[in-house]
Each structure stands twice: as structure tokens, then as C-alpha cells.
Amino acid sequence: FRDLHMGFTWRYRRWSIGCGRYTPRLLSYTLLWWDIMPTLQTNGIELYYEAAGQGEPLLLLHGLGSRGEDWAMQVPVFFLSYRVITADMRGHGRSAKPPGPYSLPQMAADVIGLLDGLDIESTHVIGLSMGGMIAFQLAVDRPERIRSMVIVNSGPSICFA
């Protein structure tokens, strides 16, 4: 359904649960912007992002080859208590794809630009894989911008042997 007054669209997903039977369950509602492509100019590129909810900011950083939309199962839970921000990192999803190479400090600078553009002084961060590496870089470059970090399936650097 659409709530035209708020400008949002709700999309739901159904999952098959059960032993060989199709048992539809309403698993989550994903909040999407309706008729808007929110982007922000930062660090020389256009960065796509979505924000939902109110409260303390929570930034969700995706992994390599992924995009912010991959947090669709987590956003409905977190946006009840937090202002949840997802972004498509440089070269991913609906963000700009300038010629590479890309670096973790460069992507961390993109995130700082996003936080500046959204007037967020500090945020909680959850980073998955490459997003965790970006979060580590943020913690090194601008520790005052991080309230807390949860790092999932990641390490602080990339090693090539």
C-alpha cells in the first residue's frame, strides 16, 4: 500500500517456511522512499542513500559487490528505535561508479561526507565484510564520529600475499 501523505511505499516479502509445504509468512516490511532518489554529493561523487526512523543514528555499511538494499531485513527492526541510514558505497548499487581504483580511506571519506550532509555528528555503525573495513577506517580517521561499532565477518585491512 502507499501512504501518499508521508511519501513512503511499504514492500513486503513472503518466505516459504515448513517441511515441503508452502506456508507463506509475512516476514518483514521494508520502508522505501516513494518517488524519490535521495542522493548526496560527497567526495566528488553522487552517493545514493536511504534513511528511515527516528532516534539515534545507525549507519549500515554493506559488503563488496552488494548495496544498501541488502539490509532490507534489518531496517524494519532497527528503524523502530533508530534513525537508520543505508548507503550504496562508491561503485555499488545506485551510487556513482567513477573509474577506479577505489580505496578504504576514500570510501570512509565518502561516508564522512554523507554524515556531514545529513547533519549527523556521530553514529552507531554496523559494517558487513567490506563495510566493516570501512567502519574500521572511520574509527581510525575520525573516531569522534563513531558512537559504537559492530563488525560482521570482516577484518581491519586487506592483505595480499
Side-chain angles (χ1 to χ4, degrees):
F1 62 88
R2 287 187 180 177
D3 181 349
L4 301 178
H5 303 289
M6 299 276 301
F8 297 115
T9 297
W10 291 90
R11 179 180 66 193
Y12 65 90
R13 299 173 185 237
R14 292 189 179 271
W15 288 72
S16 175
I17 301 171
C19 300
R21 306 182 285 199
Y22 178 71
T23 311
R25 301 269 190 239
L26 188 58
L27 189 59
S28 72
Y29 282 98
T30 304
L31 182 64
L32 301 173
W33 292 102
W34 174 68
D35 228 10
I36 296 176
M37 288 257 323
T39 58
L40 194 123
Q41 281 294 126
T42 177
N43 204 18
I45 64 159
E46 193 168 272
L47 195 70
Y48 178 86
Y49 72 95
E50 292 183 3
Q54 296 179 1
E56 293 184 14
L58 171 62
L59 179 63
L60 305 177
L61 300 175
H62 65 77
L64 181 66
S66 187
R67 58 187 178 181
E69 192 174 288
D70 289 353
W71 293 102
M73 301 301 288
Q74 289 75 32
V75 171
V77 175
F78 287 123
F79 93 101
L80 298 172
S81 302
Y82 295 92
R83 177 182 178 197
V84 181
I85 300 107
T86 62
D88 291 348
M89 295 292 100
R90 160 187 304 258
H92 294 77
R94 290 169 273 188
S95 286
K97 296 165 184 62
Y102 305 151
S103 69
L104 292 174
Q106 184 181 44
M107 290 189 200
D110 294 344
V111 171
I112 292 298
L114 174 65
L115 296 176
D116 289 343
L118 296 175
D119 294 322
I120 297 172
E121 290 184 27
S122 64
T123 182
H124 302 285
V125 178
I126 299 177
L128 172 65
S129 189
M130 178 191 75
M133 293 179 193
I134 295 167
F136 279 126
Q137 189 69 48
L138 285 170
V140 169
D141 294 346
R142 301 294 297 276
E144 73 280 3
R145 303 300 293 266
I146 306 293
R147 294 183 188 191
S148 67
M149 290 190 329
V150 175
I151 307 300
V152 182
N153 196 30
S154 185
S157 66
I158 301 173
C159 295
F160 297 100

